[in-house]
Amino acid sequence: MSSGEFDGKVVIVTGAASGLGRATALAFAGAGAKLVVADIDQDALLATAASTTALGSETIAITTNVIDIASCAALIAGARAHFGRIDALCNIAGAFRFDHASNITPEVWDKIFAVNVRGPFFLIQSALPHLIESSGAIVNVASASAFLGHAYLTHYAASKAALVNLTKSLAMEFMHAPVRINAIAPGGINTAMTATPSIPDGIDFQLIGRYTPMRGSSEPEDLTDLVMLLAGPRGKAFHGACLNADRGITAG
Ligand SMILES: NC(=O)c1ccc[n+]([C@@H]2O[C@H](COP(=O)([O-])OP(=O)(O)OC[C@H]3O[C@@H](n4cnc5c(N)ncnc54)[C@H](O)[C@@H]3O)[C@@H](O)[C@H]2O)c1
């Protein structure tokens, strides 16, 4: 990664308080980007902003709940008002939990979809005029679960499959506009999301052993180059793509 690739560019990263979002923000800072970091966890978000600032990136932190459409609109408006342009939107915030299908309540289903699908969509809707103006890019973070039936993750896997098709559908609709819209689909990443998952009683572990990565899990830093590739000019060949980065989980 050549430092300076994102000099003068303004990048929004959601989920920036933790895990892949935080690592991505740090990587963009190292490559010269100005940053708008967003997350619902204000204290951890401010820690990320302090770290990117220490790397020399002009950074603003905007506490955001992606479930709240007004909060999504305020994030995009705040980014544009502060920096005058937006070059990339990285939708990394996500919600995950195991549940028996029979125990998924409407509230849990709606929350998973609101964080993983609705939030990214309305962030994109607000940001698109600015991204078209800058010939910018969108990177959505899906999951290997989008491509596999995943026991006890019906809501999560379905939401990530929806995010992949959201990516492709928008890529079609904006085929003639100067904006690129892509996604990545990681497998297991060593982050807070999967460090201590709450496993419900009565799970048949034979059904989920299939998803244990045979080649191990990724560190967040293993995936940041991929996000940056899709977000910047080196990724100009990609539009409507979802790049699997799952250490072989979906190989067969
Ligand atoms: N960890 C994995 O194994 C794995 C695998 C595949 C895909 N992913 C995806 O990668 C992305 C990043 O996850 P991670 O592993 O870094 O997890 P993480 O838990 O470390 O980070 C997720 C971040 O999203 C934020 N967030 C949650 N709800 C939010 C809301 N309503 N508004 C704003 N921010 C909110 C959290 O506060 C947290 O900072 C997610 O989209 C996740 O689904 C993770």
Side-chain angles (χ1 to χ4, degrees):
M1 181 60 53
S2 63
S3 182
E5 181 185 2
F6 286 89
D7 280 349
K9 303 292 187 191
V10 176
V11 178
I12 301 175
V13 179
T14 74
S18 176
L20 180 57
R22 175 178 163 81
T24 299
L26 291 168
F28 273 114
K34 298 174 183 175
L35 280 163
V36 183
V37 291
D39 203 286
I40 198 169
D41 181 344
Q42 184 169 33
D43 290 345
L45 180 65
L46 292 176
T48 296
S51 298
T52 55
T53 302
L55 288 170
S57 167
E58 183 181 348
T59 299
I60 60 169
I62 302 181
T63 306
T64 303
N65 180 358
V66 302
I67 286 179
D68 177 0
I69 291 168
S71 184
C72 292
L75 169 60
I76 302 303
R80 172 65 194 229
H82 186 86
F83 287 116
R85 62 183 292 135
I86 300 170
D87 295 282
L89 168 64
C90 302
N91 279 310
I92 304 183
F96 169 95
R97 54 180 280 164
F98 287 107
D99 282 299
H100 289 279
S102 54
N103 291 341
I104 296 174
T105 62
E107 292 74 23
V108 167
W109 182 274
D110 287 349
K111 182 180 173 193
I112 295 279
F113 267 72
V115 177
N116 294 351
V117 189
R118 198 182 68 175
F121 175 76
F122 284 102
L123 284 165
I124 291 168
Q125 188 186 65
S126 289
L128 263 170
H130 312 302
L131 292 167
I132 289 169
E133 195 180 358
S134 66
S135 297
I138 293 160
V139 184
N140 295 321
V141 174
S143 166
S145 299
F147 301 99
L148 299 165
H150 210 149
Y152 313 114
L153 283 178
T154 305
H155 38 19
Y156 178 80
S159 75
K160 292 298 189 178
L163 184 63
V164 172
N165 199 280
L166 178 158
T167 303
K168 291 178 177 290
S169 296
L170 288 173
M172 283 305 299
E173 188 161 335
F174 290 88
M175 187 64 76
H176 297 304
V179 61
R180 292 182 305 98
I181 308 170
N182 293 291
I184 69 167
I189 318 169
N190 292 321
T191 66
M193 182 172 279
T194 45
T196 52
S198 168
I199 306 284
D201 291 339
I203 272 190
D204 179 345
F205 283 94
Q206 192 180 7
L207 301 181
I208 55 174
R210 165 74 183 83
Y211 310 109
T212 304
M214 285 183 268
R215 297 168 71 99
S217 297
S218 294
E219 297 303 323
E221 294 74 17
D222 298 333
L223 298 161
T224 55
D225 273 354
L226 197 51
V227 176
M228 294 170 78
L229 170 70
L230 294 176
R234 286 183 300 131
K236 64 185 176 191
F238 297 101
H239 184 58
C242 180
L243 304 184
N244 289 3
D246 60 22
R247 293 180 180 252
I249 290 178
T250 53

